[in-house]
Amino acid sequence: MKKVIIVGGGAAGFFTAINAKEANPDLDITILEKGKEVLQKVKISGGGRCNVTHACFDPKELTKFYPRGEKELLGPFHQFMTGDTFEWFDNRNIPLKIESDNRVFPEANTSQAIIDCFQNAVDSLGIKVLKNHGVNSVSKQSDKWIVNTKEKQFEADYLVVAAGSSKKVWDLCKTLDHNIIEPVPSLFTFNIKDKRIINLGGIAVPNAEVKLIGTNLENSGPLLITHWGLSGPAILKLSAFGARVLAEKKYQYNVEVNWLGQDFNSVLEELQSLKKSQPKKQVSLKSPFADIPRRLWERFIAASEIKPNQNWADLSNKQLEGLSNQLTKGIYNANGRTTFKDEFVTAGGVDLKEINFKRFESKFHKNLFFVGEVLNIDAVTGGFNFQNAWTGGYICAKSIAK
């Protein structure tokens, strides 16, 4: 009977174990988890509802959500991707639903449905799950893997590293001849103290454009003002694709925000039209743009040196141009970042050049596999990191089961 050791009791580890055992019931599989509980990231994902995947069903389109791993995941996604994830959970009586933003959750609306699915599967399949078994060392003797924890020594024919973003596990990978791309934060909000947005926490605009000054990095989408600065999908995606650039800048940089997603001239024309059509109306009374809430509008007026009691007819060309500039080309200085501590995602991990993605196997050692965030693969928010775990786990499992 072939023995399999899986390091990491998270989503990727459980998914690999279940698929391998179902494909080959003769495998003896043990999951080693360093903590007191398993599947903790699944539990907190998506605000406790578990954002299982994203409703993107074209492999090439799907890869575009991965700042690191885009090229490497194209082949694997042709083997197992979003539609397969739906089918996999549906076959286990866990139907999934697509929400308006294309994020996918269990219909039960709780991550516990996913956790119970995995727990029931490993129990019924006879997969051993050992908690408080952090791995201290790994070595190869002849064609066997020797895995040491504080509690026990294990021997295995196959070793799967699925421990996520863990410095200790990355250090273990180095002892197995693998290079680790130094990890940096990937998903974070921009810390900005600016009088135009201070104390406006909770205000959002639906379709802003955000650029990182001095780079070719830009993104668009919903933008959220928080008590520490700017967040929302537009910012988080920019932080993911700019993770290494922003780390090099030590998180001090300038951001250009187009709050309306319209060009300067078209907005200026709208403002000039308002001056003609509503000359006696007070500028500050109401935002003429549906996407800009009044409180934010008032800040832009002040930044454009327009007095609160001025009417549209009173505005000079310089004031109109200043207001258009605030709406479409506002520059904000960012200093620092705020990460999601519970759902922390990093850019970094095992160098992708060292992995055979047809099997998710090491190019240096036969029967050594890597799946999930232990690899230098990460994605924007929306269920993509889990899809990477499902895809890698499935392909790895099929490779082991043969």
Side-chain angles (χ1 to χ4, degrees):
M1 179 178 282
K2 297 284 187 179
K3 293 187 176 181
V4 182
I5 292 292
I6 297 177
V7 180
F14 269 71
F15 202 76
T16 303
I18 293 165
N19 282 286
K21 187 71 172 180
E22 287 182 343
N24 185 349
D26 291 333
L27 291 174
D28 179 359
I29 302 178
T30 302
I31 296 174
L32 302 178
E33 165 56 40
K34 69 173 182 178
K36 297 178 181 178
E37 300 295 334
V38 294
L39 299 166
Q40 286 302 288
K41 199 161 187 179
V42 172
K43 186 174 184 178
I44 62 173
S45 160
R49 297 193 297 139
C50 190
N51 187 182
V52 178
T53 185
H54 198 90
C56 176
F57 298 93
D58 177 78
K60 194 166 186 179
E61 283 298 312
L62 186 58
T63 63
K64 292 177 182 177
F65 293 94
Y66 296 81
R68 285 145 291 273
E70 177 181 356
K71 180 180 70 174
E72 291 80 7
L73 287 173
L74 182 58
F77 281 158
H78 277 93
Q79 291 189 58
F80 190 96
M81 60 168 293
T82 314
D84 303 295
T85 300
F86 271 81
E87 185 179 5
W88 194 94
F89 283 103
D90 194 55
N91 288 341
R92 289 156 180 81
N93 297 314
I94 308 293
L96 306 179
K97 62 175 179 175
I98 302 171
E99 299 201 341
S100 58
D101 58 2
N102 283 332
R103 290 189 301 162
V104 176
F105 295 88
E107 282 188 4
N109 231 28
T110 172
S111 56
Q112 197 60 45
I114 305 299
I115 293 171
D116 291 345
C117 171
F118 287 166
Q119 291 278 16
N120 293 337
V122 296
D123 290 345
S124 64
L125 292 167
I127 296 167
K128 295 181 284 292
V129 180
L130 303 181
K131 302 170 186 175
N132 297 309
H133 272 68
V135 175
N136 294 326
S137 67
V138 174
S139 60
K140 197 169 190 181
Q141 294 182 9
S142 152
D143 60 345
K144 300 288 185 182
W145 290 102
I146 307 301
V147 181
N148 287 293
T149 71
K150 186 180 178 182
E151 306 295 327
K152 189 179 176 182
Q153 183 177 91
F154 299 85
E155 185 181 281
D157 299 284
Y158 303 96
L159 177 63
V160 181
V161 182
S165 303
S166 163
K167 185 182 184 303
K168 186 175 182 181
V169 172
W170 280 329
D171 287 342
L172 284 173
C173 295
K174 291 178 183 178
T175 70
L176 300 172
D177 308 316
H178 279 281
N179 289 307
I180 302 300
I181 306 300
E182 194 63 28
V184 296
S186 176
L187 293 175
F188 50 87
T189 61
F190 293 176
N191 288 8
I192 296 171
K193 292 181 179 178
D194 189 293
K195 61 184 180 182
R196 289 169 291 181
I197 61 172
I198 202 161
N199 296 326
L200 293 185
I203 283 181
V205 298
N207 192 32
E209 294 175 356
V210 188
K211 296 180 181 178
L212 199 61
I213 301 295
T215 76
N216 60 358
L217 294 166
E218 58 184 86
N219 189 44
S220 61
L223 182 65
L224 173 68
I225 300 173
T226 70
H227 68 275
W228 53 76
L230 295 177
S231 185
I235 294 293
L236 294 175
K237 189 172 181 181
L238 193 61
S239 78
F241 280 87
R244 298 235 162 251
V245 172
L246 296 175
E248 289 168 8
K249 291 177 177 289
K250 301 189 186 310
Y251 304 104
Q252 296 184 25
Y253 48 93
N254 288 321
V255 182
E256 180 182 297
V257 181
N258 183 334
W259 295 88
L260 292 168
Q262 300 178 38
D263 68 81
F264 173 88
N265 288 328
S266 67
V267 171
L268 180 59
E269 285 176 11
E270 286 188 59
L271 297 177
Q272 290 169 336
S273 176
L274 284 165
K275 180 177 178 177
K276 292 177 181 178
S277 64
Q278 302 179 14
K280 295 184 179 180
K281 281 198 174 181
Q282 202 167 296
V283 179
S284 62
L285 283 182
K286 183 182 178 183
S287 166
F289 301 97
D291 291 348
I292 305 295
R294 182 178 170 182
R295 286 197 298 153
L296 183 58
W297 173 248
E298 289 172 347
R299 298 292 179 89
F300 292 150
I301 289 171
S304 307
E305 299 182 352
I306 298 170
K307 295 175 183 176
N309 61 351
Q310 274 191 278
N311 294 334
W312 282 102
D314 301 327
L315 299 189
S316 67
N317 286 335
K318 183 180 178 182
Q319 287 175 314
L320 289 171
E321 288 171 4
L323 185 52
S324 182
N325 202 67
Q326 290 295 332
L327 289 163
T328 63
K329 294 192 284 190
I331 305 297
Y332 297 81
N333 175 252
N335 186 358
R337 57 181 171 75
T338 301
T339 56
F340 295 107
K341 292 181 175 61
D342 289 336
E343 298 185 54
F344 191 61
V345 174
T346 58
V350 177
D351 194 332
L352 304 186
K353 294 194 296 286
E354 302 170 355
I355 305 299
N356 171 8
F357 281 93
K358 291 180 179 177
R359 294 169 53 84
F360 278 75
E361 186 177 26
S362 166
K363 289 181 178 179
F364 302 152
H365 299 286
K366 186 176 172 59
N367 298 333
L368 171 62
F369 299 84
F370 298 94
V371 295
E373 291 178 29
V374 70
L375 293 164
N376 184 28
I377 293 176
D378 64 284
V380 301
T381 56
F384 303 102
N385 284 302
F386 272 135
Q387 186 57 54
N388 170 44
W390 313 143
T391 296
Y394 180 85
I395 294 172
C396 171
K398 293 301 181 186
S399 302
I400 290 170
K402 286 181 181 177

